Each structure stands twice: as structure tokens, then as C-alpha cells.
Amino acid sequence: MPDINPTPKSAEDFVSSFAYPISYIERLPKPSHNYVSDFFELTRLRTSEKNLSDLSASQLSDLLWYAAKVIDTHYQDNGYILSHRPSPSAGARHPIDLLIINPSENPVFQYYNPFEHSLNNLKLNEDLFTDFVTHINDNIPVGKGTVIWLIAHVNRTSAKYDNPASLVWRDAGALLQILQMTATAMNLGSCPFGTLADPFINKLFADAAIISCGGIIIGNNLQL
Ligand SMILES: Cc1cc2nc3c(=O)[nH]c(=O)nc-3n(C[C@H](O)[C@H](O)[C@H](O)COP(=O)(O)O)c2cc1C
């Protein structure tokens, strides 16, 4: 049996920073709304719902702030930035970045920068955007919902650990959980996607070190 246990390498590899092809940066505000929730009630309320309407800009901003924004950083001597965020990550490496997709409003992929709390429009192949949206619509009809897609830069974790794959997938699960719990606390509906949208994410970045880890749709609950 091969050894699947992740183990720290004796010497950490260097990770070069990834430059997203950014065409426009929108700095997001701090939350202005005071959300109050009982955690133990939230664990009872959390559910997956797919019949969703659009999020306001401030709801999306607040969701990202509470679920994904960096809270604290630690600069390693080799230049790698470890971070503390709402979800745990093996070795504090946080290999997973978030892409925001709101097909009914803005037909582009946006990268969420969790260090500066900003949305960044990406200049990527427009046909692939259309193909990606068509594909995920076959899994869960997106309508006016907002999609958050998880993409892992595996080299951030493999630089430190042998057998890194399970660490990245467990990070993805933790991130999906905090996104859904935060949506619940904000009285929003959400549902994870089963598809990985392969091969669209790979084609988008043409970088073997970037893999899709699935996504989640979030929106306001439609009154039935
Ligand atoms: C990784 C993952 C993938 C999922 N994929 C889908 C999906 O493709 N379509 C869907 O309707 N629900 C999907 N779900 C939602 C589950 O079906 C849902 O969590 C399950 O039915 C239990 O319902 P609950 O979340 O309300 O407790 C997914 C959930 C997870 C965690």
C-alpha cells in the first residue's frame, strides 16, 4: 500500500506568487450590518437550498468578510505568507482561492482577494466562461444566484508536505462548511455543487498546479 499520510518535508520548497490577469479591482467595505446569531441554533438551521434570488452587493461583501477574509498573517523567512482565517487550513497554507461568478449580473470570473477584501475582475477566455456557466447550470440551475468556486493552488501545500492531496481536499470541505454556515447566519440560502466543472477550470488557467475543488451557490431564499 502506498503511504498516503501527509508528512512535512525536511526543507520547504519555494512557492512563486501567482499573478491573476486582473482588469479591474473593487475594494469592498467593512460590514455595516450587525449580524447576531446563536451558533447552536445555526447548526440546526443549516440546510441546502437551490431556489435562490440575487444577493445584494453588501450581502456578498459581508459573506466574504465573515467566511473568508484573512484575520492575521505571519511572514515566513522564505517569503511565504501564512494566514489565519475563519476556516482552518493545513499548515496555515490556505491553498484555496475563491472565484465569484454572478452570471445574471456580470459575465466574468472575479477573484476574491482575502488579504485586502476586494473583488478583482479577471481577463480570461470569454467562451470558457460561457461553457463553465452552461456546465454548472446542468448541475444546479444558477438563475440569479451567486456562485463561489474553490480553486486550489496545490503547490502552496505540496511545498511543505509530501502526500498533500488529502490536505487540500480537507481544506476545501472546511471552507465549504464555513461558507454555508455564514450564509445560514445571514439568513441566506446555499447549496454545494457536486460537479468539479472539469475541465473548464484547468483550461481557464492552463496551469497543472491549479485544480477545481467545487463550488457553492448562495442567494436570498425565494418566497414560495
Ligand atoms: C460536496 C457536496 C456536493 C453536493 N452536491 C450537490 C448537487 O450537486 N446537487 C444538489 O442538489 N445538492 C448537492 N449537495 C447538497 C446535498 O445534497 C445536501 O447537503 C444533502 O441532501 C443534505 O441536505 P442538507 O444539506 O440540507 O442537510 C452537495 C453537498 C455536498 C457537501
Side-chain angles (χ1 to χ4, degrees):
M1 287 281 284
D3 181 11
I4 59 167
N5 292 322
T7 39
K9 293 180 172 174
S10 49
E12 198 172 305
D13 300 332
F14 176 74
V15 182
S16 47
S17 61
F18 183 81
Y20 284 99
I22 293 168
S23 61
Y24 177 74
I25 301 176
E26 180 192 356
R27 300 272 176 158
L28 300 175
K30 286 183 181 172
S32 54
H33 185 83
N34 204 12
Y35 300 95
V36 181
S37 279
D38 176 338
F39 176 81
F40 298 100
E41 194 190 343
L42 282 183
T43 65
R44 293 288 173 272
L45 289 175
R46 186 216 59 78
T47 187
S48 300
E49 294 157 89
K50 295 179 279 189
N51 201 8
L52 305 169
S53 69
D54 46 335
L55 289 182
S56 68
S58 66
Q59 284 175 318
L60 176 61
S61 174
D62 293 357
L63 176 89
L64 292 168
W65 175 281
Y66 286 115
K69 190 188 162 297
V70 169
I71 297 166
D72 203 1
T73 52
H74 171 72
Y75 287 73
Q76 294 192 143
D77 289 343
N78 65 5
Y80 194 83
I81 305 173
L82 301 176
S83 56
H84 172 63
R85 309 186 192 186
S87 68
S89 169
R93 311 290 297 179
H94 286 284
I96 299 174
D97 287 344
L98 300 180
L99 297 181
I100 313 302
I101 305 110
N102 190 353
S104 69
E105 289 285 325
N106 189 11
V108 294
F109 287 97
Q110 294 181 299
Y111 158 66
Y112 173 64
N113 183 327
F115 292 91
E116 60 177 35
H117 191 50
S118 66
L119 283 178
N120 300 258
N121 286 5
L122 300 183
K123 229 178 349 180
L124 293 166
N125 184 305
E126 289 170 17
D127 292 340
L128 278 176
F129 180 87
T130 309
D131 292 348
F132 170 85
V133 171
T134 304
H135 173 83
I136 63 170
N137 258 303
D138 284 343
N139 185 181
I140 295 177
V142 174
K144 294 196 155 195
T146 294
V147 173
I148 301 182
W149 209 262
L150 284 59
I151 60 167
H153 295 252
V154 177
N155 58 338
R156 295 182 193 162
T157 299
S158 65
K160 180 165 182 187
Y161 297 100
D162 286 321
N163 303 323
S166 78
L167 296 177
V168 173
W169 287 108
R170 283 179 276 173
D171 277 14
L175 197 42
L176 279 176
Q177 171 76 317
I178 192 71
L179 285 164
Q180 192 168 54
M181 287 298 274
T182 307
T184 307
M186 293 175 64
N187 207 20
L188 301 171
S190 62
C191 187
F193 286 85
T195 184
L196 286 177
D198 184 58
F200 305 106
I201 298 294
N202 275 89
K203 281 188 181 169
L204 210 51
F205 294 103
D207 183 335
I210 297 181
I211 62 164
S212 166
C213 289
I216 184 167
I217 182 167
I218 300 183
N220 282 286
N221 289 298
L222 279 175
Q223 298 301 320
L224 295 174

